[in-house]
Amino acid sequence: MYRMNSRTAWPRRALGRGWKALALRRFRDAEDGNLIVFAFCLFVAMVMIGGLAVDVMRYESVRTNLQNTLDRSTLAAASLTQDLDAEDVVYDYFEKAGLLDYLTGVEVDEGINYREVTADATAATKPFFLHLLGIDSFDAIGHSVAEQRITNVEIMLVLDVSGSMGSNNRLTNLKSAAVEFVDTVLSSDGEDRISIGLVPFNGQVNLGSTLRARYSTTDNHGVANVNCVDLPASVYNSIAMPPSTSLPMTPYADTYSSTNQSTTHTSPTSTDYATVNSANVWCPPSTVNIVRLPSNNMATLKSQINNLTAIGATSINAGMRWGTALMDPGSRNMFTALIGANQMDSTWAGRPYDYTDDESMKVIVLMTDGEHFKEERVNAGYRTGLSPIYRSSGDGNYSVRFTSGRPTAAGTKEYWVPHLCTSNNCKNGSNTGEAWRATAWTNNSTAAVQQTWVQVWNNLRASYVAWNFYARALGSSSTTRTNTYNTWIANFRTQTDTDDMDTQLDKICDLAKANSVTVYGIAFEAPSGGQAAISNCASSSAHYYNATGLQIKSAFRSIASNISQLRLTQ
């Protein structure tokens, strides 16, 4: 067997050591291993990025759905045209979207002209991959605020100034409350966005000469400071009352005072039974209890309120009708004309705004201490023009002409002279003819002046005329005199039943509310009928106040507190 000796083994061992070194050098210089490491690192990065994208996409999907639901719900809840509870609206949206568990809070801040709704929601999204980076929660958080504000506010204070307001310090307390209301509301208005008008009412509404001249009035009597009109029943069937509406002026007439129904003559100068009682006319002459056009002059408004006086009956329907008329867009052209004539501040150009104007709000504050009193108005034919009544320019006594329908005792004599009926036969109704004359009474040849109906009602009560000029002249017995009186008082005037007045008020209140006019009602120490009327007129039970004494100030404060929160940012 061949054996390798030591001499031949050395070269082989040396060669082996060189080969190993060569192999190590080749391994060291090889690049194939670097590519594998890079590929592994790239794979890990791609997996992490993909996982992050999945988690982010899941988060964004939940967050977007959450935010969209928040925005839709708060916008709907903040709308001033919806009457549902704002918080309930938000909850309802989330419940229908299947996200109710994520809703964390709802806050509502609202006033008379604005509503702000804030809502927050949080949805936990469990990450699939981000927990590898130490992120164990990835919550989707949503926040939304929606707000609607009305920046332009038109306010009408429709205030009772009837005679009963003079009792128990009612008018004094009203003035104090209304003055404070003006201060509160207008002090927060730095941009001339809020206007306040006044409509005082008693048995009628005195428009004042400036405003009355802008309406198409008939039967103009020319009596100073008597600027009321008799509203036709038809004006309560529509919210609009254009200035072109034909409106007969209210005569200055005492139509509901009683008179002395004696067969004995009562002097026409008798303050008890003949002459006009100024407290009992339907439109007392006044320069203070008149409608005031919209203004924001605090000093002027407060002065106008403080000058109000208590007199007359109560027609809540007429007050409310004029309050709505001066808020109706149909009055805009009239306001423009008043501004052009420098009878109204140009600040209010463009008012009254449309009912659909999203940036305006109309508010009526209606206050009364009473209930409807039968309205009385002079009938057509007895308002203006010549009457058959004559007055002596000497002693002031009257006579009345009858061209037909005279009693037999009168013969051809056409003039009845009341103060000449003095004998027992005449007083007992025999109509002997002693009080009948062929000509009007002149008193020693002085002139007998034919009176207009305006002159008659300026001096004599309707009841006095019906009794002394007609019942005594034509009635031959107690029964016929009474029947004749009833006939002529009905000829002179018509009464509107209180039930009809209640219905008219209900109609105009409903029309106002249907056109988004906010109506606040204050029954101030009013009887049950007045309380019911005002409660029915108010926009809701929350808009109705039943006040006594100084509580009227609290009622006005409550109303003003909402308006005073104006943030005129639009």
Side-chain angles (χ1 to χ4, degrees):
M1 174 182 293
Y2 176 76
R3 291 178 176 273
M4 182 179 68
N5 59 29
S6 59
R7 290 181 178 180
T8 59
W10 180 84
R12 287 187 173 183
R13 286 196 296 271
L15 183 60
R17 287 195 297 273
W19 178 262
K20 291 178 180 179
L22 178 61
L24 287 172
R25 284 196 300 273
R26 287 178 176 175
F27 180 77
R28 181 191 65 192
D29 296 336
E31 295 181 356
D32 294 345
N34 288 342
L35 183 61
I36 294 172
V37 172
F38 175 75
F40 178 76
C41 291
L42 183 62
F43 173 76
V44 172
M46 290 177 64
V47 170
M48 294 184 66
I49 292 172
L52 176 63
V54 170
D55 285 341
V56 170
M57 288 176 64
R58 289 183 62 249
Y59 163 83
E60 187 60 24
S61 176
V62 173
R63 190 201 67 79
T64 300
N65 190 22
L66 201 66
Q67 189 63 49
N68 287 342
T69 304
L70 278 168
D71 292 341
R72 288 195 301 269
S73 64
T74 54
L75 283 171
S79 173
L80 292 173
T81 60
Q82 65 91 10
D83 298 325
L84 301 174
D85 181 82
E87 187 173 348
D88 290 343
V89 171
V90 176
Y91 275 91
D92 187 59
Y93 265 76
F94 270 78
E95 183 177 16
K96 286 182 170 58
L99 302 175
L100 187 58
D101 291 341
Y102 303 147
L103 187 61
T104 58
V106 180
E107 293 183 4
V108 179
D109 182 22
E110 58 185 327
I112 194 170
N113 74 308
Y114 77 97
R115 181 180 293 145
E116 181 182 86
V117 179
T118 304
D120 293 281
T122 301
T125 58
K126 296 291 184 181
F128 293 148
F129 296 95
L130 291 180
H131 67 274
L132 298 174
L133 300 177
I135 301 175
D136 296 323
S137 64
F138 202 26
D139 293 343
I141 299 175
H143 176 78
S144 180
V145 179
E147 177 187 53
Q148 184 176 5
R149 286 188 181 274
I150 305 298
T151 58
N152 298 311
V153 182
E154 300 173 65
I155 303 171
M156 277 291 167
L157 299 181
V158 182
L159 308 177
D160 188 340
V161 291
S162 60
S164 59
M165 284 293 294
S167 302
N168 201 29
N169 291 320
R170 293 190 189 103
L171 188 59
T172 299
N173 291 333
L174 167 64
K175 290 178 180 180
S176 177
V179 164
E180 183 182 281
F181 175 89
V182 169
D183 275 331
T184 302
V185 171
L186 294 182
S187 62
S188 65
D189 177 22
E191 299 181 8
D192 296 333
R193 299 298 188 98
I194 306 175
S195 65
I196 298 177
L198 302 178
V199 180
F201 70 90
N202 38 47
Q204 264 287 8
V205 174
N206 195 326
L207 301 179
S209 58
T210 298
L211 184 59
R212 193 270 302 166
R214 296 292 170 177
Y215 283 88
S216 179
T217 56
T218 60
D219 295 337
N220 297 320
H221 47 66
V223 180
N225 303 320
V226 177
N227 293 290
C228 308
V229 297
D230 291 335
L231 293 173
S234 59
V235 303
Y236 293 94
N237 297 327
S238 171
I239 188 67
M241 192 168 75
S244 59
T245 305
S246 180
L247 302 172
M249 289 191 67
T250 304
Y252 178 70
D254 183 347
T255 58
Y256 63 89
S257 288
S258 62
T259 193
N260 179 15
Q261 294 186 358
S262 169
T263 55
T264 302
H265 174 64
T266 302
S267 171
T269 60
S270 167
T271 57
D272 293 331
Y273 302 110
T275 55
V276 174
N277 179 350
S278 60
N280 288 339
V281 296
W282 281 98
C283 186
S286 181
T287 58
V288 293
N289 287 353
I290 64 174
V291 173
R292 304 294 184 174
L293 294 168
S295 171
N296 66 348
N297 187 308
M298 295 170 67
T300 299
L301 284 166
K302 290 189 288 185
S303 175
Q304 292 166 349
I305 291 170
N306 281 323
N307 286 330
L308 294 174
T309 60
I311 187 173
T314 306
S315 295
I316 311 169
N317 55 336
M320 186 64 182
R321 174 64 273 202
W322 279 110
T324 56
L326 295 175
M327 278 193 166
D328 186 79
S331 296
R332 189 180 303 149
N333 289 340
M334 181 181 68
F335 280 19
T336 300
L338 287 165
I339 291 171
N342 294 321
Q343 294 172 322
M344 186 173 176
D345 197 296
S346 60
T347 301
W348 314 119
R351 299 193 182 204
Y353 294 113
D354 291 337
Y355 294 115
T356 56
D357 190 330
D358 290 335
E359 294 189 1
S360 68
M361 172 171 279
K362 300 174 186 288
V363 179
I364 290 179
V365 181
L366 175 64
M367 187 285 305
T368 186
D369 76 323
E371 56 189 351
H372 280 129
F373 187 97
K374 280 186 179 181
E375 181 194 51
E376 300 194 7
R377 57 183 65 182
V378 177
N379 292 329
Y382 300 97
R383 293 171 169 271
T384 57
L386 288 173
S387 76
I389 299 172
Y390 292 74
R391 188 179 189 185
S392 167
S393 58
D395 61 10
N397 279 311
Y398 290 87
S399 52
V400 56
R401 186 181 186 187
F402 290 90
T403 56
S404 62
R406 299 185 302 275
T408 303
T412 60
K413 299 175 182 178
E414 295 184 348
Y415 295 87
W416 161 261
V417 186
H419 77 280
L420 296 182
C421 182
T422 59
S423 72
N424 288 332
N425 286 337
C426 182
K427 289 188 290 184
N428 292 332
S430 62
N431 293 314
T432 59
E434 64 186 81
W436 290 91
R437 291 288 184 268
T439 59
W441 177 255
T442 60
N443 186 35
N444 299 323
S445 300
T446 56
V449 180
Q450 188 175 8
Q451 304 290 287
T452 65
W453 284 112
V454 171
Q455 291 173 311
V456 170
W457 303 138
N458 266 272
N459 293 290
L460 302 172
R461 298 181 185 180
S463 56
Y464 178 87
V465 175
W467 179 257
N468 284 281
F469 293 1
Y470 291 91
R472 291 183 66 221
L474 303 177
S476 58
S477 67
S478 174
T479 299
T480 57
R481 282 192 291 271
T482 298
N483 290 339
T484 303
Y485 170 82
N486 290 336
T487 296
W488 277 95
I489 198 68
N491 288 341
F492 291 149
R493 60 105 170 104
T494 296
Q495 292 180 318
T496 303
D497 192 78
T498 56
D499 288 341
D500 293 333
M501 298 171 74
D502 288 341
T503 299
Q504 291 172 351
L505 177 63
D506 288 342
K507 284 183 179 180
I508 199 61
C509 290
D510 289 344
L511 287 168
K513 290 180 286 189
N515 283 278
S516 301
V517 177
T518 302
V519 181
Y520 284 90
I522 304 175
F524 182 34
E525 299 181 11
S528 58
Q531 293 176 30
I534 298 300
S535 177
N536 291 339
C537 189
S539 291
S540 72
S541 58
H543 295 80
Y544 168 67
Y545 300 85
N546 189 5
T548 60
L550 296 177
Q551 289 177 351
I552 192 171
K553 182 170 287 190
S554 298
F556 272 97
R557 282 175 179 169
S558 177
I559 299 168
S561 66
N562 286 327
I563 303 175
S564 66
Q565 296 179 54
L566 287 169
R567 306 286 190 273
L568 305 175
T569 58
Q570 293 187 7

